[in-house]
Amino acid sequence: MVFKPESALILVGHGSTVNPDSSAPTLDHAEELIRRKVFGEVHCAFWKEEPSLRQVLHMLDKDDVYIVPNFISEGYFTRTVIPRELNLDGPLTSLNGRTLKYCDPVGNHDRMTELLSKRASEVSQGVPLKQSSLLIVGHGTNLNDNSAFAAKREVEKLRELDMFGEVFNVYMEEPPLVSEWADFTKFPNVIVVPFFIADGLHSYQDIPVLLGIEEDTGLAASQRDVFRKNPYRLRDRTLFYASAIGTEPSFVDVIIDQVAAFDSVAR
Amino acid sequence: MRSLPETIAGWVHDGFSLLGQIRITSRPGGSFELRHREDVAVHGLEEFHGPSAARDLSFFDEARNYRPLKTAPNLRRGWSLIVETPEDLRLALDHFYPAMTALWRSQLEASLSSVPLRDTLDRQTGMYAASKRLQDEEGLQLVASACNSKTGCMKRMLWPFTKTVELTGFSRLERSADVLTLDSGEKEIPLLCHEACNILVAACRETVKKRERAAAATV
Ligand code: SF4
């Protein structure tokens, strides 16, 4: 069990200047970590909100510091922005008397597969999973990050679990398209889980419209209501729609696991 | 060495009761009360408990608009927040004004170094790399409005525009870490900006893009 009262944890999120829900999961997970007293100190830092990556090191009292990116995959932010803004020079950095330990992003951990299957089972209200098609929604492959690669890896691993009738990757802007879900799924139940860190316009509005469970009113979607109206009955199927995987409370355990994983590698 | 929560509690006991738009009072038994400084004499405020409540109070203005910049002068009024310990006070203040007590501590310890805006822009990559093409003139104008303490942001800019060019249109106090003492004797912990925020960097990029789009349209 990880118990580090002499260490600090910095959880790094992307944040947003327009979407108040972007930083919510990062702040929620930090609150839970404080409540559990796993670390002596817990702080959040964001790229587009405050505390910023340029401010957060000033907040520390402890000298032994773990930095965990609350990101779905490796990519531009974890490889370029975070190291640059925090002056990191690799997994281990000594800076002004502190040791900064840069861990892997949360979404990279092996346990993500377990979290995705857990969320899919929970949202689907007890329907037989073997009679269900599971769709993992990812960002497209055209982005300069590895999130699409990570989403594909998770789908492979979910297939190996053999819990669901079938498992597919879907995307918003490239095939296989979210909007064509009914064409390539063959089971009576369809479960849709966005492989994103936070809920935002994509999960409240874009994906529901593409699935056909919300009208494109041009207005901000009814926010969390969209997740409360499960199941949806359309195109002769029963459809269950989950909120972004990063809002899953057990993400906290994976954050702690990433710290343990860092320590398990000799450096 | 005292921890940051203990340091903050010490400041409050020494009369530093104001931070941005918030007034902090220590209460018998060691707890603290926070409220909007304009609500000082208001009775019947809605009462909240614990640092988590500060999240919702700080995230939205009076009209429930999202406040991406917490040091904008539009904190909502009408509430009172009780926190029990210095740790919870630190957490609550970090929701209202992220990192601000920590930067003040660093300033007092002489470990806060400011970064000229030009250096911040020159470091950008990806979509923000365009901000490197900001011209001095348009940049100075942008900062004067975006960082204006009445309408934009209450922080004091400790950074210059470039190593040799100073900002224009700000008072000496607005560019310093000096402590402001009110007639009542209450002291204000200054909100410090030692390096331009992402919102300003994004605005610099937008200024460049707008100029370049306009130029392209006239060719
Ligand atoms: S650059 Fe600093 S002073 Fe200007 S708006 Fe951002 S935080 Fe405020």
Side-chain angles (χ1 to χ4, degrees), chain B residues 68-106:
Chain B
L69 182 65
K70 299 287 189 301
T71 44
N74 60 354
L75 183 68
R76 62 185 257 220
R77 295 182 49 183
W79 51 268
S80 146
L81 175 67
I82 314 285
V83 287
E84 295 301 327
T85 61
E87 282 72 24
D88 284 355
L89 175 63
R90 201 275 297 162
L91 283 169
L93 293 177
D94 275 335
H95 283 306
F96 285 114
Y97 296 117
M100 288 296 106
T101 52
L103 293 193
W104 173 234
R105 173 179 67 174
S106 292

Side-chain angles (χ1 to χ4, degrees), chain A residues 50, chain B residues 69 71 146-147 153 155 157 159 193 195-197 200:
Chain A
E50 292 185 309
Chain B
L69 182 65
T71 44
C147 306
C153 176
K155 288 197 198 97
M157 286 77 63
W159 40 269
C193 181
E195 179 161 3
C197 69
L200 185 67

